[in-house]
Amino acid sequence: MRDGYEKRRTGVLPWLISFIVAMFVVQNVAARLPGLGGGLERLLGLTPEGLRAGHVWTLLSYGFLHSTGNLLQVVAYVVVLYLAGREILPLTGTRRFIGLYAAALLAGGLFWTAVHWRQADLMVGSSAAVCALVVLYACFFPNRDINLLVFFVLPVTIRPKFLALTLLAIDLSGLVFYEILRLPFPVYAAHSAHLGGMAAGWIYFR
């Protein structure tokens, strides 16, 4: 009942995570309503056709939509966003953190569009921004041990610099084999967007 104390403000990270989760819920609800299925993806998702039509906002808005059929993807992105973001945010401050997040989405969207300009493809997901945070975390804390439970059973310890290099190698291979050469692969990933986000994180650090 006292009011003689400083009220703590909710940080940008909880707001960002809440917005991503809320958009995922809205997507799932809209997908089940007659006449609205895929409407948000057509309006806010990133496509070369949409950019040619002048939908430049999709270079940022795509990062707040996700595949409605892949709950694990959203959970993974939110977890990484929280774990990396809570370490990076005190170092950058709120304004620069938001700027980095937006720049990573923009860089990822532009690189993905350049690779897919002649295809009728659609991209959604915050992977470019999440990859930027992973790279930036590795730049700030290259030798800090990260303890993981692979498949919730196998304990693995890895350093951030090796994790970032592994992701870089995977996405470079994916870009060449699955996005440029268009070889078949059962699970689609926007490797070019990941690389654009990584570049934004590294440039920010430099």
Side-chain angles (χ1 to χ4, degrees):
M1 295 176 66
R2 299 186 311 165
D3 58 2
Y5 61 90
E6 182 180 358
K7 295 179 175 64
R8 297 183 60 185
R9 295 183 177 180
T10 302
V12 66
L13 198 57
W15 282 114
L16 185 58
I17 291 173
S18 298
F19 187 70
I20 290 173
V21 173
M23 287 299 296
F24 184 71
V25 173
V26 170
Q27 278 183 267
N28 278 272
V29 172
R32 288 159 175 77
L33 294 177
L36 292 180
L40 282 177
E41 286 79 0
R42 288 192 296 271
L43 178 64
L44 302 177
L46 180 60
T47 63
E49 181 183 4
L51 285 181
R52 286 192 289 266
H55 301 171
V56 293
W57 63 84
T58 58
L59 285 169
L60 292 177
S61 62
Y62 80 91
F64 299 98
L65 302 180
H66 294 83
S67 172
T68 55
N70 194 346
L71 176 62
L72 184 61
Q73 179 192 57
V74 181
V75 172
Y77 287 162
V78 166
V79 169
V80 176
L81 174 59
Y82 172 74
L83 294 177
R86 68 176 182 176
E87 300 290 340
I88 293 172
L89 187 56
L91 301 176
T92 62
T94 299
R95 183 176 299 178
R96 289 185 175 181
F97 185 87
I98 295 174
L100 168 65
Y101 196 91
L105 289 178
L106 182 61
L110 288 173
F111 191 24
W112 180 89
T113 302
V115 174
H116 294 258
W117 186 251
R118 297 184 181 275
Q119 282 87 36
D121 293 334
L122 165 72
M123 184 177 68
V124 294
S126 55
S127 56
V130 170
C131 286
L133 294 180
V134 170
V135 167
L136 189 57
Y137 181 88
C139 290
F140 279 128
F141 313 106
N143 297 310
R144 177 182 289 182
D145 287 339
I146 300 177
N147 299 308
L148 305 173
L149 276 178
V150 179
F151 300 116
F152 304 101
V153 176
L154 181 64
V156 175
T157 299
I158 187 172
R159 291 184 174 178
K161 60 183 179 182
F162 297 129
L163 175 61
L165 288 173
T166 300
L167 292 177
L168 177 61
I170 291 173
D171 284 318
L172 283 173
S173 300
L175 171 66
V176 173
F177 292 109
Y178 306 123
E179 291 193 75
I180 296 178
L181 298 180
R182 309 292 287 188
L183 296 179
F185 193 68
V187 179
Y188 174 78
H191 300 285
S192 51
H194 299 177
L195 292 170
M198 290 180 188
W202 184 81
I203 290 171
Y204 176 87
F205 179 78
R206 297 302 298 174

